[in-house]
Amino acid sequence: MDLSPIIVFCYNRPWHVEQTLEALSKNIYADESVLYVFCDGPKDNASEEQIKKIKDTRIVVRKKQWCKEVHIIEAEKNKGLANSIIDGVTRVIEKYGKVIVLEDDLITSPYFLKYMNEALCFYDNSLGVMSISANRPPIKKMIIPKDYSYDVFASLRPFSTGWATWIDKWNKVDWSLDYLDDFLKQSKEVEAFNRGGDDMTEMLLLQRDKKIDSWAIRWAFAHFKEHCIGILPCVPYVDNIGFDGTGVHSGSDDKDFRNNVMNAPMNPKLINILYEDDRIINAFANYYSKCKRPFWKKTCNWLARKFGMDSPFTIKKKIYE
């Protein structure tokens, strides 16, 4: 197999990045893969404590030979998450034509690299697939139908916690947001974009106004603009340990984002005919819907699940009737 290079982005969390690299090193194909680690630099007003964390992170990165070949790139000044990822991915993907990307707070399944590389090969010539993701909305809050016969599904919204893509797809992204004013005037297009979640257009606006620093929402818009989907797993291949209050872009409530990666299949059945399963798309939209279920419906759902039955109130918002 033509293995993809791996990128890990890190900043100032030595413990987290060590967990990420340790898990990655235990992956099938890790000892045959090329790894690039991009270490972001200190901000202009960084305190001594923050600078020490950055230095400690870099010490951890150099601690072991995590993969067959390891390249470490250390920034002198802080680029920020979005610019770090855009610049780093562009640099590596131009050399190799494809890339697998992790951030410093993701514990991977031993089969993560196997899944990502096989999916990259499987969908290499699929014009409608723009990315492969290793994560998905929380399992307990977005239910995959029991009779669904694949281990991955087509998603209107890519996931940025463990992902992969190809150079021809990456080069389609307009990072400038120059298109935003014209896009906002097209109500039908806005509605269509928000099929991936009620928060999609809102995040574009926050990015424009520099209230967030997100490469991922611009990546998601490129999927929409190019009429492409992302491939997401039914069972996640990554566990996000970053929602503990230590990250710049993470909160302190991690209960919805933790996964048991040992449940991820070694040999996933990939979907060979790309289609949007209406039940999955509706469940996906429901997770991101701002209109939440009332308490009595949540109670009924909890009781149903307790007795082994399906939740009676799962549809709050329908994309497909």
Side-chain angles (χ1 to χ4, degrees):
M1 188 185 299
D2 178 22
L3 297 177
S4 172
I6 310 152
I7 302 178
V8 172
F9 290 96
C10 62
Y11 175 38
N12 65 353
R13 295 193 285 180
W15 180 83
H16 292 77
V17 75
E18 185 167 15
Q19 308 311 304
T20 297
L21 292 172
E22 285 284 3
L24 180 65
S25 70
K26 293 178 173 63
N27 261 248
I28 295 174
Y29 297 139
D31 59 354
E32 302 175 47
S33 298
V34 177
L35 170 64
Y36 286 80
V37 183
F38 285 85
C39 307
D40 204 2
K43 298 178 180 178
D44 292 337
N45 59 347
S47 65
E48 289 186 9
E49 180 183 1
Q50 291 168 334
I51 291 174
K52 183 179 184 303
K53 288 181 179 179
I54 291 171
K55 290 180 178 178
D56 289 345
T57 298
R58 297 181 179 192
I59 290 172
V60 167
V61 166
R62 297 181 181 277
K63 186 176 180 180
K64 292 183 181 180
Q65 183 76 20
W66 308 104
C67 291
K68 178 182 179 180
E69 187 178 323
V70 180
H71 303 271
I72 300 171
I73 300 91
E74 299 176 346
E76 293 184 5
K77 295 184 178 181
N78 188 268
K79 292 183 176 181
L81 179 62
N83 286 333
S84 291
I85 289 181
I86 294 169
D87 294 346
V89 170
T90 300
R91 175 172 173 173
V92 176
I93 208 169
E94 286 180 348
K95 181 176 180 180
Y96 294 91
K98 57 183 177 179
V99 71
I100 297 169
V101 184
L102 289 167
E103 293 176 31
D104 64 356
D105 53 6
L106 299 174
I107 305 300
T108 51
S109 157
Y111 309 132
F112 165 78
L113 289 180
K114 184 175 184 294
Y115 158 67
M116 299 299 270
N117 277 291
E118 289 180 356
L120 280 169
C121 290
F122 191 86
Y123 296 107
D124 187 22
N125 296 317
S126 297
L127 297 178
V129 177
M130 199 160 189
S131 66
I132 312 297
S133 294
N135 207 353
R136 49 150 292 179
I139 289 179
K140 292 182 179 180
K141 297 198 172 185
M142 192 208 115
I143 307 299
I144 301 291
K146 293 179 180 178
D147 62 349
Y148 185 70
S149 59
Y150 300 97
D151 291 311
V152 299
F153 60 93
S155 171
L156 301 173
R157 178 180 187 147
F159 256 57
S160 60
T161 46
W163 59 280
T165 193
W166 308 263
I167 188 169
D168 58 325
K169 307 297 173 59
W170 184 251
N171 286 342
K172 292 181 183 294
V173 187
D174 181 353
W175 302 107
S176 70
L177 289 182
D178 289 343
Y179 54 79
L180 189 54
D181 288 341
D182 288 338
F183 166 69
L184 293 173
K185 296 174 184 176
Q186 311 299 322
S187 59
K188 290 296 183 183
E189 289 190 18
V190 171
E191 181 181 355
F193 180 51
N194 285 346
R195 291 167 76 229
D198 289 350
D199 58 336
M200 299 283 273
T201 299
E202 179 182 350
M203 282 196 293
L204 278 179
L205 292 170
L206 290 172
Q207 177 62 35
R208 180 197 64 183
D209 297 338
K210 295 181 170 41
K211 294 181 178 179
I212 60 174
D213 181 28
S214 173
W215 67 274
I217 187 58
R218 290 174 278 176
W219 179 231
F221 186 84
H223 283 62
F224 168 72
K225 178 178 175 292
E226 297 297 328
H227 305 285
C228 288
I229 52 94
I231 296 294
L232 272 59
C234 296
V235 179
Y237 285 82
V238 296
D239 176 24
N240 193 331
I241 60 172
F243 285 85
D244 56 359
T246 61
V248 175
H249 297 276
S250 62
S252 58
D253 183 6
D254 67 355
K255 65 181 184 299
D256 286 345
F257 300 95
R258 300 304 304 270
N259 299 310
N260 184 353
V261 296
M262 302 312 293
N263 292 332
M266 179 178 180
N267 298 301
K269 184 179 180 182
L270 302 178
I271 185 169
N272 54 347
I273 300 176
L274 296 175
Y275 71 97
E276 297 173 7
D277 187 291
D278 57 352
R279 301 165 300 174
I280 293 177
I281 296 298
N282 282 341
F284 197 101
N286 289 340
Y287 173 70
Y288 286 104
S289 174
K290 293 180 180 178
C291 181
K292 301 302 180 183
R293 285 187 297 266
F295 179 75
W296 70 271
K297 286 188 177 182
K298 290 182 180 180
T299 302
C300 289
N301 282 350
W302 179 81
L303 289 171
R305 291 194 299 271
K306 186 175 179 64
F307 290 100
M309 297 181 290
D310 291 334
S311 300
F313 301 107
T314 55
I315 299 297
K316 301 181 292 298
K317 174 181 178 180
K318 286 186 177 181
I319 287 176
Y320 290 108
E321 296 295 336

